[in-house]
Amino acid sequence: MADCRRVLRESGGEISFRVGRVVFGSEKPVIIAGPCSVESREMIVEAALAIKRILVERLGFENVVLRGGVWKPRTSPYSFQGHGVKALEWLREAGDKAGLPVATEVMDPRYVGVAAEYADILWVGARNMQNTPLLHELARAGKPVLLKRHFGATIGEWLCSAEYLLAGGLEEVALVERGTRGLNEYARFSLDITVVPIVKRLSRLPVLVDVSHPAGRRDIVPDLAAAALAAGADGLMVEVHPDPDKALSDSKQQLTIGMFEEMTGRLRRLGFI
Ligand code: PEP
Ligand code: MN
């Protein structure tokens, strides 16, 4: 493995960090839920209030973050690319209304500053895992960062990308597995669950699992969520949309509010949340 000394276990204790009431890397997993894209003020407020009602009010579970993309890394240039800065305002407003911290993806180093003004947590999407100018800028911004694994990256490459953040002085970093290219043509990616116990042994960082993007289909998302937490993940990222069939991105994989409620009920019964 290339030199990623600060990320490795040998170099120090386990990293955990707090964002408001939410703690990454504690006994309790973090649930990062919300739509793929922030499509309008109304939809993100509706999603935020539903997530709060289901987890915070009904289950008394407070380790919850609202997610929503505003700059979307789409395969086709003709697909919806996100609403940009105005959607950041909607995301912030929704988070404040629901009392939840908010997370969004940044792709362009030039937008780190504005994203950091509005969001509590920034994430690096799979496609940008090795965008080193972006990693440098994020380390400078000082907001907590979630680093997704590229779908073709080894564990060593992933950890070394995290090293850029730690080497730049940022310790509030968590890793997110989101599936790699595989042979299973019935799912969008292959969820590499093996990295959860392995990277937890190797590194100091919390390891979360995005259960929506590997699935590509909403029916199997709850099963992947149970599997990820059973494997010891420090949290989940999951896409939830008030009306997924009409979503402007990733419509097949986003959970309905009802499915999200069912899934979290099951995770509670299993003793995971
Ligand atoms: C997302 O979380 O919306 C996303 C685009 O994920 P990934 O970067 O893992 O594909
Ligand atoms: Mn998505």
Side-chain angles (χ1 to χ4, degrees), residues 4-263:
C4 50
R5 62 187 86 173
R6 290 178 168 83
V7 163
L8 298 180
R9 276 260 148 163
E10 300 83 79
S11 68
E14 273 182 47
I15 289 177
S16 75
F17 55 92
R18 176 180 285 279
V19 184
R21 281 198 307 263
V22 176
V23 186
F24 284 79
S26 75
E27 292 296 296
K28 276 191 197 157
V30 179
I31 297 191
I32 305 170
C36 181
S37 310
V38 178
E39 296 170 4
S40 69
R41 172 185 277 123
E42 294 66 35
M43 72 82 73
I44 191 67
V45 168
E46 187 180 345
L49 293 178
I51 290 162
K52 174 198 169 201
R53 175 174 52 78
I54 291 165
L55 283 172
V56 183
E57 290 172 3
R58 298 229 174 116
L59 296 182
F61 183 83
E62 299 211 335
N63 240 12
V64 186
V65 174
L66 176 66
R67 67 151 277 157
V70 306
W71 297 288
K72 296 306 301 178
R74 305 307 300 282
T75 302
S76 166
Y78 307 115
S79 302
F80 174 63
Q81 303 285 309
H83 287 306
V85 176
K86 71 173 188 275
L88 267 180
E89 291 178 26
W90 302 336
L91 178 66
R92 177 78 266 161
E93 191 182 315
D96 289 346
K97 280 209 165 103
L100 302 175
V102 302
T104 201
E105 172 172 358
V106 202
M107 296 195 283
D108 185 328
R110 293 171 300 180
Y111 292 143
V112 167
V114 66
E117 265 176 51
Y118 286 98
D120 304 293
I121 299 168
L122 304 176
W123 86 75
V124 178
R127 290 154 192 80
N128 281 292
M129 187 197 85
Q130 290 181 315
N131 180 343
T132 52
L134 177 64
L135 299 172
H136 281 299
E137 205 51 41
L138 285 165
R140 255 197 297 276
K143 285 271 164 158
V145 169
L146 310 176
L147 179 67
K148 288 192 163 197
R149 180 187 180 192
H150 185 274
F151 37 82
T154 64
I155 289 178
E157 288 161 346
W158 187 24
L159 297 187
C160 265
S161 284
E163 185 75 14
Y164 273 84
L165 298 167
L166 271 70
L170 183 73
E171 279 219 334
E172 295 172 316
V173 177
L175 299 165
V176 183
E177 166 61 31
R178 47 77 73 216
T180 50
R181 287 263 188 249
L183 300 173
N184 178 354
E185 72 272 44
Y186 292 91
R188 192 172 174 191
F189 293 92
S190 289
L191 178 56
D192 186 358
I193 205 87
T194 58
V195 301
V196 176
I198 288 173
V199 174
K200 282 188 66 69
R201 281 169 176 74
L202 270 177
S203 92
R204 305 165 60 205
L205 305 176
V207 182
L208 284 72
V209 177
D210 172 340
V211 288
S212 299
H213 291 87
R217 45 188 279 185
R218 66 182 130 268
D219 62 329
I220 63 170
V221 166
D223 296 328
L224 300 186
L229 294 181
D234 294 296
L236 301 175
M237 185 181 270
V238 56
E239 289 186 338
V240 188
H241 190 292
D243 190 0
D245 287 334
K246 298 216 175 74
L248 301 178
S249 57
D250 288 348
S251 76
K252 289 197 170 66
Q253 73 196 27
Q254 301 200 61
L255 296 183
T256 61
I257 306 286
M259 286 179 82
F260 180 70
E261 182 157 23
E262 231 170 81
M263 180 186 85

